Each structure stands twice: as C-alpha cells, then as structure tokens.
Amino acid sequence: MTHPFLDLAPLSAARFASIEDRVARLLSTEQDVLIMQGEALLPLEGAIRATAGPGTTALNVITGPYGQTFGDWLRDCGATVIDLSVPFRTAVSAEQIRQAFAEHPEIDFVSLVHAEAATGNTNPVAEIGPVVREHGALFYLDAVASVGAEPVLVDAWGVDLCVIGAQKAMGGPAGVSAVSVSERAWARMAANPGAPRRSYLSLLDWKERWLDGGRRALPHAPAQLEMLALEACLDRIEADGLEAVMARHARAAAATRAGAVALGGGLQPYVDRGAEAAPVATTLRAPSGVDASELVALALASDPALPLAAGGGALAKEMIRVNHYGPDATPGTVRGCLTALGTALAGRNLDTDLPAALQAADEAWR
C-alpha cells in the first residue's frame, strides 16, 4: 500500500534547523529557538520546570485558565508564587505589574499568557515587557494563541521564554511546538539543580545534544509528519504575508463582535473593551437565563463544522466562543456563526435581528 503520509524520506538535521530559523523570523528574535516534538504544553511545562525552583519568587498573571495552570506548575517546583488575578472579561495592565513589583521587589520571574483563546482577552505585552526587564525578572510568555493573529516581538519586548504552537492562528499542526530561549534563561536553567535532565521535558538536553553541537545531528527521530505540516504552514504564512494573516484575524474579531452586538437577543461580548479582545477568538456572554452550552448545541445543529464552542469548565453555562482562527478567519465563517447563533436564539423565543447583524459584520470587516 502506498500513501503520501507513508514511506517518507528521513527529515535531515539541516531541514529541521531551517524550520527553526523560520520560526525565529516569525517571532522576530535572534534567540535560540527549539522546535519541540509535542503539543505546546510540552515546552510550556518544560520551560517553567527548567527555570523555577525553591529560590524563585514568581509573579503569575491569571487572565484565564492557562495562567492558573502555570501557577500550579510553579508551586510544584517549589517556587513562591504571587498570583495576580484579573477578571477574565478584561486584561492585565502594565501598571498592575509595576505595582506588584513595588509590593514584592523579590519577584524574579513573571509568567503571562499573551492571548487567552479560552476567555477571549489579550494582554499588552509591549507595555508589560519593559516593566519586567526594568526589574530584572525573567519573562515567560505563552504566545500559543496569539502568534499569527497579532504581533509577537520577542526581542523588542524583552521576552526570555516564548512558547508557541501552530494549531490556532497559524493554521498548522498541534503535534509540534516551539520555544525561544534567551541567554539569561539558559543561564537560569544551568544554575537550577531541579531543571529536568534526561527527560522529555528537558530543554537543557536539547541544548547540549542539538544546539551546542551546531545542529548537525538530531538527538532523536523527529515527528516527521508534524514537522512537514509546520513547514507547509510557514510556507503559507510567508506567501500570504504575516501582516495580511494578522489583518484577517483582526477583521474576523471586529466583525464577530459588531455582529453579535447588532444581533441582539441578549448576546453580549464577554470581554468588555474591544481593545482588550483577542483577535484569535471572540467570546460572547449568553443571554440571562440561557445555558451557553445548550445554545451552542442548538447553533451547531444546523452546521456542526462551525467553530463554535461553549466555555470550558465553570464558564460552560455563560460563555460562547467563536474560534475564528487559522482557516476560519474569513467573512463566511463569521457570517455562518452569526446566522447559527441567531437561529438558536430565535429558537429560544428571543428577539434578534439577523440582517442587522450580518450588515454590521460586513461593515466591520471592510
């Protein structure tokens, strides 16, 4: 049996390294970039466990569920964790970060999610980065959802550890991910006796066996199909132009937000301010007395392929997510989601104006 996914030629070290170099360009960084052979949780956890330990005092910003997870990992490493939680309907500010440093000058590590696809907010990393660097703390950033949807400027923002995945705005595979690592971060790892070694989580193993050897011999067989898919994803972004890809996501977010407001029926944007809403996905608050998960199920009955989902966990009853990222950052997807939601709301005997919603979305897209 022959199949295009089978009997592929081995991926060479040179080709693997060239894909890493293209990811580095995507992140506007001169730092080392490692492509990890697993979903983004692999480098997200590995980077924390490599750089945090009993002597670490971490400021952990929580604007969604991933921030909560990072706090758990940091505590598991023995770090002292100061959680800075803000309502999921908003973003953290640089002034709040500055105030946290004033109250806790011992902070030497800051963990932050750039865009929370799960809650629909995005944080002003360009403003926060200089505050973190001013205080000399190591800056860890989850840019999994933001890369491809909005600028991610690792060097300009002073980010020491930036983790990305390709499965959202990049429109690529979920089985590989990447992390950029600054010299300060490598030094922190080298000095950390608790940093994972001889482990799938180990960044230091990759450094010693791959980077320090000049990237001439891969330490193990790479995830061939995922690497080729990532390469194709980068081909598409480079052909379209990163600015154009980000513009599509911004238009999709603006159109979804405007259309939802015009639709009525009690549907409202979950994130209060448009400036704090993530381009990768728009979250909406279900009408009072309506279960969001039931409304989404009704909406998907007409078209199960629409990128609609209820919020996760405790948010399932109140939040609707429109995941307009990657190939779904299109006017057709936005119109389809608004139409399905309008039909579902009408099925609950709520007053809606679908023609007004579609018009508002079309005008916002321009």
Side-chain angles (χ1 to χ4, degrees):
M1 174 182 178
T2 60
H3 192 283
F5 292 165
L6 299 176
D7 304 320
L8 298 170
L11 193 73
S12 69
R15 191 166 179 182
F16 193 104
S18 73
I19 299 172
E20 287 183 331
D21 292 341
R22 293 169 71 183
V23 172
R25 289 195 294 273
L26 182 70
L27 299 178
S28 298
T29 185
E30 298 294 326
Q31 295 178 6
D32 291 326
V33 168
L34 290 173
I35 295 180
M36 306 297 288
Q37 305 297 282
E39 199 271 340
L41 282 173
L42 171 62
L44 284 170
E45 182 176 357
I48 281 182
R49 294 193 181 278
T51 52
T56 303
T57 300
L59 174 64
N60 180 51
V61 182
I62 301 176
T63 58
Y66 279 98
Q68 294 169 329
T69 297
F70 300 160
D72 292 340
W73 286 339
L74 287 161
R75 290 183 178 88
D76 191 53
C77 291
T80 299
V81 181
I82 298 157
D83 285 327
L84 173 55
S85 299
V86 302
F88 290 176
R89 66 179 189 277
T90 187
V92 72
S93 69
E95 184 52 40
Q96 287 173 297
I97 302 292
R98 192 181 301 279
Q99 182 61 35
F101 275 111
E103 295 173 2
H104 302 278
E106 68 275 19
I107 292 169
D108 62 358
F109 185 100
V110 174
S111 52
L112 176 70
V113 178
H114 187 185
E116 285 268 13
T119 50
N121 53 34
T122 190
N123 292 302
V125 185
E127 301 169 16
I128 292 169
V131 178
V132 176
R133 181 51 61 93
E134 175 186 337
H135 290 83
L138 206 70
F139 193 11
Y140 164 100
L141 184 70
D142 171 355
V144 174
S146 56
V147 65
E150 54 188 304
V152 178
L153 305 174
V154 168
D155 292 355
W157 295 345
V159 179
D160 294 290
L161 294 157
C162 181
V163 175
I164 67 165
Q167 68 268 31
K168 289 190 168 63
M170 289 177 67
V176 289
S177 49
V179 56
S180 64
V181 186
S182 72
E183 289 299 326
R184 290 177 358 121
W186 284 130
R188 181 79 69 99
M189 293 180 209
N192 179 12
R197 301 306 306 268
R198 294 166 295 284
S199 163
Y200 200 59
L201 287 172
S202 178
L203 299 183
L204 284 173
D205 288 357
W206 269 95
K207 181 179 186 301
E208 293 179 359
R209 299 179 61 192
W210 172 241
L211 296 178
D212 291 351
R215 300 192 299 179
R216 288 189 292 271
L218 285 162
H220 56 69
Q224 176 91 324
L225 291 176
E226 286 80 4
M227 289 297 296
L228 294 175
L230 175 59
E231 186 178 50
C233 169
L234 292 165
D235 287 341
R236 185 168 57 186
I237 291 173
E238 291 167 4
D240 291 347
L242 179 58
E243 292 297 326
V245 175
M246 292 190 295
R248 283 201 298 270
H249 285 84
R251 290 191 181 101
T256 303
R257 189 178 179 91
V261 171
L263 182 61
L267 204 63
Q268 293 291 330
Y270 192 88
V271 177
D272 293 337
R273 298 178 60 243
E276 295 177 344
V280 70
T282 296
T283 49
L284 304 169
R285 191 180 300 277
S288 176
V290 175
D291 186 298
S293 60
E294 294 177 3
L295 192 66
V296 167
L298 283 173
L300 290 176
S302 61
D303 186 354
L306 289 171
L308 289 169
L315 297 172
K317 291 185 178 299
E318 63 179 295
M319 179 188 286
I320 298 162
R321 293 205 328 263
V322 183
N323 296 315
H324 45 66
Y325 52 70
D328 287 320
T330 66
T333 294
V334 173
R335 289 175 64 90
C337 289
L338 291 172
T339 299
L341 288 171
T343 301
L345 289 167
R348 298 296 298 266
N349 297 316
L350 295 168
D351 291 332
T352 60
D353 190 340
L354 182 57
L358 297 178
Q359 182 179 351
D362 291 344
E363 291 175 352
W365 188 279
R366 295 192 185 103

